[in-house]
Amino acid sequence: MDPLGKPPPSSEITPEPLYLRRRELLRDALLFTATSAGVGGSLLWLTQGRRASERQIQSTAANTTTASPTLTIAERGLYRVDEPLTPEGAVTSYNNFYELGTDKSDPAANAQTLRPRPWTVSIEGEVSQPLVVDVDQLLQWFPLEERVYRMRCVEAWSMVIPWVGFPLGALIKRVEPTSRAKHVAFTTLLDPEQMPEQRGDVLDWPYVEGLRLDEAMHPLAILAVGLYGKALPNQNGAPLRLVVPWKYGFKGIKSIVKIRLTEEPPTTTWNLAAPREYGFYANVNPAVDHPRWSQATERRIGELRRRPTLPFNGYAEQVAGLYSGMDLQRYF
Ligand code: MTE
């Protein structure tokens, strides 16, 4: 059954192994485009780079289509990477958000289709106090913090981003997990009108990601509602997205509508698409290569030379204890 009334998906008319192989080839092509596009992009951003203090007072980048009200930030500087910020224009124009397109520039170009208000989030599953809450109400509950984190994409590029958000753990505590809760599943909005690429089948929609409960409760894991002091642009996952800085960027699911506590680990979108390439843990690990490229170094957007990738993306001191005793080659 197809709720969109479009022709049957190719899975119905092509033998499955062939269909799966086609998807694999398409994904390879996408990643190749992404990687090669990025090389040119970094030169452009280098010429556009400005000092952080100048950027703070610049209005939102040209490609940002959301109205971006300034957020009230209660706390700054507690969590800060002492490295130059990636220019705002790069953070908001070089994106992965497949629901809005598969090229890096598509999400900004197509961002206007997403309507981040009104927006409700459901927190449910293994909790004593499930709730459905309007995102503006959420912003009243938790004081907002600025957190300057590194972000390392599995495609081997990275950025340093000043996020605005609040600890995910604070929200989870509020709904009172039951003793059976061991994992957390996050789901992106499913609405092909707002997310046109959901009409196609490049991924299984809606996008789903997951964490272990103790990972979700770690103080570094946040729900971001802004960046560079302003509300999140649509292309960065408005109105609410996950940021887990010690994991590859694909864990940072965007435009979340559901947070579900579960006993079993959820099936995640990228793990389903390519289980040998994208594990559930997805901790940044320079010692474990992606099957098709090395993870030992990365290209920081705006820099010419590659830099070494750090274990847990530089957050080992804070998070390595979560994985003590685990074989991180095996549980990638
Ligand atoms: N969330 C959704 N819903 N859809 C996506 O395609 N891409 C992921 C992640 N979250 C993605 C998503 C990937 S691969 C990365 S690297 C980051 O978002 C990119 O975040 P950014 O565009 O804000 O840099």
Side-chain angles (χ1 to χ4, degrees):
M1 208 180 72
D2 175 16
L4 295 173
K6 61 182 170 77
S10 50
S11 56
E12 282 174 35
I13 50 179
T14 312
E16 186 161 78
L18 189 57
Y19 162 70
L20 291 174
R21 180 71 194 134
R22 261 193 217 155
R23 288 182 69 164
E24 225 170 81
L25 288 172
L26 180 58
R27 265 196 313 272
D28 285 4
L30 292 175
L31 282 169
F32 178 74
T33 315
T35 313
S36 44
V39 175
S42 66
L43 293 172
L44 182 65
W45 292 313
L46 201 68
T47 59
Q48 289 178 344
R50 293 182 293 270
R51 296 187 62 77
S53 53
E54 290 170 74
R55 288 195 303 272
Q56 300 286 2
I57 53 167
Q58 296 279 335
S59 62
T60 315
N63 276 333
T64 303
T65 53
T66 346
S68 293
T70 301
L71 298 166
T72 307
I73 300 173
E75 179 92 59
R76 284 178 202 267
L78 259 187
Y79 295 86
R80 173 165 291 278
V81 170
D82 198 16
E83 292 168 22
L85 301 183
T86 302
E88 183 182 357
V91 176
T92 59
S93 64
Y94 186 79
N95 299 103
N96 275 336
F97 197 170
Y98 280 20
E99 291 88 332
L100 297 179
T102 47
D103 281 348
K104 289 287 182 284
S105 57
D106 287 345
N110 300 328
Q112 74 287 347
T113 60
L114 176 60
R115 295 186 302 273
R117 294 292 190 288
W119 191 279
T120 51
V121 184
S122 166
I123 302 115
E124 54 183 56
E126 289 294 348
V127 298
S128 308
Q129 307 289 334
L131 54 88
V132 177
V133 60
D134 186 89
V135 72
D136 290 316
Q137 178 68 55
L138 262 187
L139 296 185
Q140 303 301 313
W141 286 350
F142 305 107
L144 296 180
E145 295 173 44
E146 183 173 79
R147 305 263 186 116
V148 180
Y149 283 161
R150 294 179 205 90
M151 183 176 83
R152 169 62 158 82
C153 178
V154 74
E155 296 161 351
W157 52 267
S158 64
M159 298 189 183
V160 176
I161 303 176
W163 300 106
V164 180
F166 57 89
L168 169 62
L171 178 58
I172 292 180
K173 259 192 215 143
R174 190 172 177 121
V175 294
E176 299 175 15
T178 69
S179 58
R180 279 189 301 277
K182 300 283 183 296
H183 294 88
V184 188
F186 304 83
T187 308
T188 294
L189 175 72
L190 178 64
D191 179 355
E193 273 194 12
Q194 296 191 56
M195 305 211 168
E197 289 291 323
Q198 289 178 338
R199 296 202 168 93
D201 62 359
V202 72
L203 288 175
D204 284 281
W205 311 113
Y207 195 102
V208 173
E209 257 309 333
L211 296 172
R212 257 179 13 200
L213 182 59
D214 59 341
E215 295 177 320
M217 298 304 292
H218 192 282
L220 285 178
I222 59 168
L223 287 172
V225 295
L227 55 82
Y228 268 102
K230 289 167 276 186
L232 271 186
N234 289 355
Q235 59 270 34
N236 293 91
L240 184 79
R241 56 103 42 99
L242 180 66
V243 178
V244 197
W246 69 96
K247 291 179 180 283
Y248 289 119
F250 69 86
K251 299 297 280 188
I253 180 172
K254 297 177 170 184
S255 306
I256 297 169
V257 290
K258 188 163 74 179
I259 300 177
R260 186 174 180 80
L261 279 74
T262 60
E263 187 157 12
E264 298 303 321
T267 303
T268 60
T269 298
W270 279 105
N271 189 241
L272 196 65
R276 287 175 300 117
E277 303 191 359
Y278 308 108
F280 177 82
Y281 281 95
N283 290 318
V284 175
N285 189 347
V288 176
D289 286 343
H290 185 279
R292 288 178 284 124
W293 58 83
S294 163
Q295 295 291 22
T297 63
E298 66 200 52
R299 185 171 53 81
R300 176 69 50 84
I301 298 298
E303 293 181 357
L304 289 177
R305 283 217 184 117
R306 295 182 77 85
R307 45 165 78 216
T309 287
L310 303 172
F312 298 105
N313 202 22
Y315 300 95
E317 203 180 307
Q318 295 95 323
V319 302
L322 291 171
Y323 311 101
S324 52
M326 278 178 69
D327 176 356
L328 295 176
Q329 299 269 345
R330 186 158 166 235
Y331 297 98
F332 63 94

